[in-house]
Amino acid sequence: MVKYDVTLSDPLLEPFKPVIRRRQEKSLLKELEFTGRERRLSDVFNNHLYFGLHETAEGWVFREWAPNATAIYLVGESSDWQRREDFRLRLLGNGVWELKLPKERMWHGMLYKLWVVWTGGGGERIPAYARRVVQDDETKVFTVQAWQPERPYEWKYPKVGRINHPLIYEAHVGMCMENRRVSTFNEFRAYVLPRIVELGYNAIQLMGIQEHPYYGSFGYQVSSFYAVSSRFGTPEDLKRLIDEAHGFGIGVVMDLVHSHSVRNEAEGLGCFAGDESQYFYPGERGEHKLWNSRCFDYGKNEVVSFLLSNCKYWLEEFHFDGFRFDGVTSMLYWDHGVGRDFTEYKFYYDGNEDEDAITYLTLANKLCHEVDSGVITIAEDMSGMPGLAEKAEDGGMGFDFRMSMGVPDYWIKLVKEKRDEEWHVGDMFYELTNKRKEEHTISYAESHDQAMVGDKTLFFRLVDKEVYTSMSVFDHSLVIDRGMALHKMIRLLTISTAGDGYLNFMGNEFGHPEWIDFPREGNGWSYEHARRQWSLVDDKDLRFRFLNEFDKAMIALAREESFFEPVPQPVVRDNGRQVLVFGRGDFLFVFNFNPSASFPDYAFEVAAGKYVTVLDTDSLRFGGFGRIDDCQEHFTLYEGGRHVLSLYVPARAGFVLKRIVE
């Protein structure tokens, strides 16, 4: 058995070393239990190749795990939806049921379900490993569709390989078009992918891929974990989208939901065979009260096998380049982290932690990187648990990145609660750079979360109702001027202080207005806010295009110059005048958040050399006032034993200088 030493880069963790070591040993023991001494995790977990429906040389074979069942029938078009003996599964043992059928009894596109019988009851169920589930337009009932195309999809492009500094375009396929309806994979590929290519992002994060019965859940109430949501198209449509993204050198990350499951019984895993705890924790621990969903039992080997095989399935079958694991905070803590402030280290080691979930996440990360060493795994965690994004051999869980969820919360709070004159640049720099030095993070000013119903996009919050009346290039509005300036500055400051990567939600790059609200009973089942209004940015007479052009230039700078490696070093934190200056390698980032005062001859000490402007939020081509001459070269002066740079720093502007050593 491999034995690792726990490496503690933070001496404050020393009192908790026994807990950290215990968690590490628990993961190692569980890995050994599954693999023995000779196999790898990625060799072991192939549930998707065994369970579910498969075509063989002899015919069809179907298997399901249902230990509480007393009988199972496959009912469908081939059996006239009747429970017939020739479609009855036989029990193999250990809760595994099997049915073998000749070729003519099943066909591609055939609809079917299971009828599961248990002591005291029975009912229709969707198989746990179903790969395609479709919904009837009239009855809204979900049914499995046998999916075995005559010609499998032929991949054209190789995967892009590991992305060390992800620049992520977060997207939801269903709301990607301007039409008031559910959009498709093919529409996203044809109309949105070219926009992402032009903007320069190197990764796309797709939401809502796993089948979910309620569209309004944004894809986070999953029912069929192995099925591509059919409302967006076929599995082949998704594969073609991913393949073409790879052709442009863009990786595709899947928003993977293993943190909970929809509680539905007819469509999901809830009470699958009359046993509420087949997949989930028994009693209250199996209930997520806030989300009205079920919590997986990560201590049960069959459940761990189901989830780990799911990771492998999506990576191998669809060529995804990694996962963003949703709801990690909910997984880590028995109380799901609800209403807690993680202000002390003791809160990560006080017994409120689900160590089986920690073990699962550790194994999931290891398996993913065994399947493909180039994949990236990203944790959505707001608690900041130490070791989350550290290597397993050092006592961590093995994630490559953690989402910096405190950053968008900080921006929203600042914009909502503070007047411009009260913006404290010292606090800004601290909040945007406050992370564990050994942890790789991805920052963002706003994702889909910040604009969900009841809130607003950042730009809409900055300009409010004037977004409807004053965005014409022929109009002049102080409110719009302020909103556009701050929108660009907030994004530039967020990406330039980011630890290792950046994320933007679809459409927010050009200041998409209003909010996100999926069709539901409360809004009359409207699609009005479940779409993207690309016509706003495409209209040359509207100022949205300037924000889009700035985002394109900003992403290009981050991608081509890769300024993420050096840690941001503060140069000036002038809270009185609201000027912030910091450096990263050869780059100097200058921000003046003062709403009214510009400062000529603003001098500060820097490394000697010539500095040239490479990005300027106030540039005319980005809808600014053009107060900085971007062609001017700036030279340091040697004064009093220091190399000093003197700049004109206009109000509400940010710019980036690059040091040229000649």
Side-chain angles (χ1 to χ4, degrees):
M1 176 180 174
V2 179
K3 181 76 171 180
Y4 298 128
D5 290 326
V6 176
T7 300
L8 297 179
S9 53
D10 188 342
L12 294 177
L13 289 173
E14 189 66 34
F16 310 105
K17 191 170 184 177
V19 180
I20 297 172
R21 184 179 297 280
R22 183 185 71 239
R23 293 175 182 175
Q24 181 193 52
E25 290 177 346
K26 184 170 183 176
S27 298
L28 289 168
L29 287 170
K30 181 59 68 174
E31 179 181 351
L32 184 61
E33 180 184 344
F34 282 125
T35 64
R37 298 181 180 274
E38 299 178 356
R39 296 184 298 171
R40 304 188 309 163
L41 287 168
S42 56
D43 299 326
V44 172
F45 294 104
N46 296 293
N47 286 27
H48 53 294
L49 301 179
Y50 181 77
F51 291 105
L53 180 67
H54 300 278
E55 188 176 15
T56 68
E58 296 76 26
W60 300 85
V61 61
F62 177 87
R63 300 185 188 94
E64 188 74 32
W65 175 61
N68 199 54
T70 57
I72 302 179
Y73 298 87
L74 190 148
V75 297
E77 291 180 307
S78 184
S79 66
D80 295 324
W81 298 98
Q82 302 300 309
R83 283 173 270 168
R84 290 172 27 179
E85 284 301 312
D86 51 342
F87 282 88
R88 179 171 178 162
L89 281 67
R90 66 188 181 96
L91 182 62
L92 299 181
N94 298 317
V96 178
W97 299 76
E98 181 184 77
L99 173 66
K100 292 183 177 179
L101 293 170
K103 287 276 188 182
E104 64 273 12
R105 294 293 185 89
M106 302 283 288
W107 56 87
H108 173 65
M110 186 190 111
L111 300 178
Y112 72 97
K113 283 187 178 183
L114 296 181
W115 184 277
V116 182
V117 182
W118 57 86
T119 302
E124 288 187 344
R125 293 292 185 265
I126 299 291
Y129 292 85
R131 297 193 179 193
R132 181 163 173 81
V133 181
V134 294
Q135 186 178 27
D136 186 272
D137 291 335
E138 295 183 4
T139 66
K140 305 303 180 183
V141 172
F142 284 86
T143 310
V144 192
Q145 188 174 39
W147 200 255
Q148 196 72 30
E150 186 175 334
R151 295 183 59 187
Y153 182 82
E154 296 181 7
W155 295 90
K156 300 178 180 63
Y157 303 102
K159 298 177 73 172
V160 299
R162 181 177 169 83
I163 304 172
N164 291 319
H165 298 294
L167 301 168
I168 301 173
Y169 197 84
E170 183 188 34
H172 186 281
V173 169
M175 59 176 289
C176 75
M177 298 295 287
E178 193 150 354
N179 316 74
R180 293 171 177 82
R181 56 171 172 78
V182 179
S183 307
T184 67
F185 291 125
N186 288 335
E187 288 174 321
F188 186 95
R189 176 180 51 79
Y191 299 108
V192 182
L193 180 58
R195 293 179 184 272
I196 301 172
V197 173
E198 184 178 1
L199 287 168
Y201 288 84
N202 61 17
I204 300 170
Q205 180 178 302
L206 290 180
M207 309 168 64
I209 295 300
Q210 296 164 293
E211 188 60 84
H212 45 288
Y214 179 44
Y215 183 53
S217 74
F218 224 124
Y220 291 122
Q221 293 275 346
V222 175
S223 53
S224 294
F225 288 78
Y226 285 81
V228 176
S229 181
S230 61
R231 56 173 60 86
F232 307 138
T234 69
E236 285 65 40
D237 293 338
L238 173 58
K239 290 176 181 180
R240 186 179 178 189
L241 164 57
I242 295 171
D243 200 16
E244 293 201 9
H246 289 164
F248 289 111
I250 298 175
V252 184
V253 174
M254 176 179 169
D255 204 340
L256 186 71
V257 182
H258 282 181
S259 49
H260 65 134
S261 171
V262 70
R263 65 184 309 111
N264 299 34
E265 298 178 7
E267 298 92 359
L269 301 175
C271 201
F272 186 81
D275 179 8
E276 293 185 352
S277 58
Q278 178 177 336
Y279 285 94
F280 311 112
Y281 284 122
E284 290 190 2
R285 281 190 170 175
E287 303 281 343
H288 198 303
K289 303 294 185 184
L290 187 63
W291 295 347
N292 191 31
S293 58
R294 301 302 309 278
C295 302
F296 284 109
D297 185 346
Y298 304 105
K300 186 179 289 187
N301 283 358
E302 294 87 351
V303 174
V304 171
S305 297
F306 173 79
L307 296 173
L308 289 179
S309 298
N310 193 239
C311 294
K312 185 177 181 180
Y313 168 73
W314 290 108
L315 291 176
E316 291 192 337
E317 182 69 19
F318 291 90
H319 290 201
F320 276 105
D321 300 277
F323 299 119
R324 180 260 205 184
F325 281 75
D326 173 68
V328 168
T329 306
S330 177
M331 299 171 70
L332 294 177
Y333 306 96
W334 290 119
D335 64 3
H336 310 299
V338 177
R340 299 187 65 192
D341 292 324
F342 294 88
T343 55
E344 299 180 47
Y345 276 167
K346 67 179 182 181
F347 296 133
Y348 304 114
Y349 309 100
D350 60 2
N352 181 45
E353 298 75 37
D354 182 350
E355 295 192 355
D356 287 326
I358 292 173
T359 293
Y360 165 70
L361 290 170
T362 305
L363 296 183
N365 278 294
K366 186 165 187 177
L367 176 137
C368 289
H369 292 98
E370 284 182 3
V371 171
D372 182 350
S373 60
V375 305
I376 58 173
T377 56
I378 306 167
E380 189 215 24
D381 170 49
M382 50 74 61
S383 74
M385 178 177 280
L388 186 75
E390 288 191 69
K391 295 179 180 178
E393 51 264 39
D394 294 334
M397 281 180 248
F399 282 100
D400 295 302
F401 304 96
R402 180 178 67 82
M403 303 299 295
S404 292
M405 298 181 70
V407 171
D409 290 345
Y410 171 76
W411 284 124
I412 291 296
K413 185 178 177 65
L414 188 68
V415 170
K416 287 171 65 173
E417 299 180 3
K418 298 285 187 180
R419 295 183 298 113
D420 292 15
E421 293 81 2
E422 298 174 318
W423 288 23
H424 192 287
V425 296
D427 287 347
M428 281 184 193
F429 188 77
Y430 172 79
E431 293 290 345
L432 270 61
T433 59
N434 180 28
K435 75 178 192 71
R436 302 176 62 80
K437 63 180 181 180
E438 71 280 357
E439 191 169 64
H440 299 289
T441 56
I442 295 173
S443 291
Y444 53 106
E446 57 179 335
S447 68
H448 70 276
D449 282 329
Q450 282 66 47
M452 291 301 284
V453 61
D455 219 319
K456 305 174 181 178
T457 63
L458 186 58
F459 188 64
F460 193 43
R461 188 168 292 285
L462 287 167
V463 303
D464 208 66
K465 62 183 179 181
E466 293 213 21
V467 76
Y468 302 116
T469 60
S470 306
M471 286 299 288
S472 170
V473 295
F474 306 110
D475 295 332
H476 182 73
S477 164
L478 294 176
V479 172
I480 297 298
D481 289 344
R482 169 186 178 268
M484 289 185 62
L486 290 178
H487 190 268
K488 290 178 286 185
M489 292 179 72
I490 286 171
R491 274 164 163 68
L492 180 58
L493 184 52
T494 300
I495 197 172
S496 59
T497 54
D500 299 272
Y502 176 77
L503 177 143
N504 164 68
F505 181 68
M506 176 176 64
N508 287 352
E509 68 276 4
F510 67 81
H512 200 284
E514 301 181 339
W515 55 88
I516 300 170
D517 188 10
F518 276 65
R520 55 190 173 85
E521 187 176 4
N523 64 16
W525 303 102
S526 170
Y527 286 87
E528 183 65 29
H529 297 287
R531 61 194 183 106
R532 295 287 90 176
Q533 299 181 58
W534 302 111
S535 59
L536 297 176
V537 69
D538 293 339
D539 190 335
K540 301 302 181 185
D541 290 336
L542 296 179
R543 300 176 73 181
F544 294 100
R545 63 184 174 90
F546 295 126
L547 298 179
N548 194 73
E549 283 301 310
F550 175 76
D551 193 80
K552 179 180 176 181
M554 181 183 75
I555 293 299
L557 177 65
R559 185 168 181 171
E560 295 165 10
E561 299 289 355
S562 191
F563 50 67
F564 292 107
E565 293 295 341
V567 175
Q569 298 295 329
V571 177
V572 174
R573 283 176 285 192
D574 187 342
N575 294 314
R577 288 184 283 188
Q578 295 180 283
V579 174
L580 173 65
V581 182
F582 59 91
R584 296 191 87 162
D586 290 329
F587 291 92
L588 202 62
F589 300 86
V590 183
F591 295 87
N592 179 7
F593 280 93
N594 197 299
S596 57
S598 299
F599 304 106
D601 301 322
Y602 194 93
F604 48 90
E605 183 179 1
V606 293
K610 178 178 75 174
Y611 290 81
V612 296
T613 304
V614 292
L615 186 63
D616 169 22
T617 66
D618 197 50
S619 171
L620 291 173
R621 71 187 182 106
F622 304 140
F625 293 101
R627 291 169 292 176
I628 297 175
D629 182 357
D630 293 343
C631 297
Q632 182 177 347
E633 298 178 340
H634 305 274
F635 295 88
T636 55
L637 298 175
Y638 189 71
E639 298 178 350
R642 304 184 307 158
H643 295 283
V644 176
L645 189 65
S646 182
L647 301 171
Y648 169 54
V649 185
R652 254 193 215 125
F655 53 96
V656 186
L657 303 174
K658 185 176 183 179
R659 178 172 172 255
I660 308 296
V661 180
E662 298 178 335

